Amino acid sequence: MTAPVSGSAAPVVKDHRALRFLTAGSVDDGKSTLIGRLLYDSRAILADQLDTLEKRAAGAPIDLSLLTDGLEAEREQGITIDVAYRYFATKQRKFIIADAPGHEQYTRNMVTAAAGSDAAVVLVDITKIDIAARPVALLPQTRRHALLAHLLRVPSIVFAVNKLDAVADPALAFETVREALLAFARHAGITVAGVIPVSALRGDNVTQPLDADWYDGPSLLQVLESLPALQERKDGDLLMPVQYVAREGEGTGNQPRTLWGRIAHGQVKAGDAIQLFPSGQQATVAEVRLAGSTVDVVSAGQSAGVVLDRQLDVSRGDWIGTPGTIKETQRFAATLAWLDTEPAVVGRKYWVRHGNRWVQARIASIESRLDIHTLEATEAHELAVNEIGHVVIETQQALPVEAYGQNRVGGALIIVDPASNRTSGALLVKAAA
């Protein structure tokens, strides 16, 4: 008998902040069922919800996937279409789950869920994989979703190998697929937080450790409880997009105004010198507010209300930063995840949103396309739906973009088709061109 497989090191570090994670992977890999199992085992289901599921099952085992697939179209087709958010808690920490769709048509929804997540659980349906093949071929959506989570800088990526109850030799099947996943991750430069065997339908190794002589690693819940929540950089220079300008008092004239926004990095306190973008004007912070109360300091990741010592022309879409640190550009290199059925082409004009600012832009060039099977860069003149490429973008007005690897707020943009108003792509800034 072979030695037991450890899918991950035993969790040690505990982070008691709420963990935001998404489930990803291909269609029918069991994402909704896994979330339903987590909710069911943690007793996060209301009594009336459970009664409804039991009546619908009519004596058969309840369908846990229905806890997240709430749209009528999802129930009819048996697939997840939109992102569903659910909440549960254990004695160790709280969790916010995003159930992302697995179908290629809804990849844009997966990108939306990944953009604000601390972790991604990529499910792998072991019954869809030919473990006798060499090399073992992973499903395209497994590779695509793992790559997108990696590109979107999701800090922790966990592979959950599902449906082990449906294979004759779970030990051999899991070890074979585990090796294939780790080889893919090494090639793609992905740091894996764990490869965990589970049966979401039966509940094996989801919340309780697996009782098997071939695996001695942690359960999926134990891994999730140990993962760190993302922290944006709180030291250094300030960068904050202005989302809303609130005027106090009534009437006309010189009324105090509060500039609200979520701090991208750094911190702000009364007495700090700041500079506005795009006007370039400077002022001093007179007061800082958090949730309506005056406070001493507000740091990255929190929404701050900034009151200046003098009235300046500031509106939604402007940026606030430490003087001399905001670097603007009209041309930058980026990774583009294309989400529209109409391909991305060089020269066409789009709208891009950076923070809360909208400007016109065009794709100046498509440098390459990423082959998700070989992970090699290939020549491309356009990007089709769900393809990932490296591009150069030119904007009509300068933007204070930063490298996405340094900051997710300053380095992320979305592309919108001006004719259809569809979200066409996600841009992750690499560097100024």
Side-chain angles (χ1 to χ4, degrees), residues 34 123-124 160-165 174 196-201 203-206 210 214 219-220:
L34 177 70
L123 269 79
V124 180
V161 182
N162 193 25
K163 304 186 183 180
L164 284 170
D165 58 304
F174 172 68
I196 312 298
V198 299
S199 170
L201 183 64
D204 297 345
N205 209 39
V206 177
L210 184 65
W214 54 268
S219 68
L220 177 62

Side-chain angles (χ1 to χ4, degrees), residues 214-237:
W214 54 268
Y215 178 78
D216 65 357
S219 68
L220 177 62
L221 182 59
Q222 286 177 317
V223 172
L224 292 174
E225 287 177 338
S226 70
L227 296 178
L230 178 70
Q231 279 189 322
E232 297 292 358
R233 177 166 56 86
K234 295 184 178 181
D235 58 346
D237 50 280

